[in-house]
Amino acid sequence: MTRGPWGCAVATVAGLATGVLGSVLLAAAWRACDVGVNGAANGLALILYGAVLACAAAVWWGLLIGYVGRWNLTVALAGGAVGTAVMIWIFVALLQVPHGYRC
């Protein structure tokens, strides 16, 4: 089940969802902290940051589903979810206040 198109589809969808969720959370943090000059500058940064996060998450999901999923799909999906949560947490924590002030 995890070989072939199903594994690729799950990894792609999970990676895109991770990128979107990370960007939404980072946008909310920036809005709360009043970061940036205007919405357009923040929007471009969020698109670029979200794309990098989505690619990293898609690779993570693909590796887990491709290798671990051959033996145990439940463990692969749980590991993918935990890894995605950690990636989003690090992503938002590192980029929450890019100029170094606390809000």
Side-chain angles (χ1 to χ4, degrees), residues 29-94:
W30 282 0
R31 209 170 21 256
C33 295
D34 238 0
V35 173
V37 177
N38 56 29
N42 287 344
L44 182 60
L46 288 170
I47 289 171
L48 295 175
Y49 294 152
V52 171
L53 179 62
C55 289
V59 168
W60 172 251
W61 277 95
L63 288 174
L64 277 175
I65 291 173
Y67 292 106
V68 179
R70 293 179 190 172
W71 297 282
N72 193 335
L73 185 59
T74 305
V75 171
L77 293 176
V82 169
T84 295
V86 169
M87 271 188 246
I88 291 175
W89 185 2
I90 291 170
F91 175 75
V92 173
L94 288 178

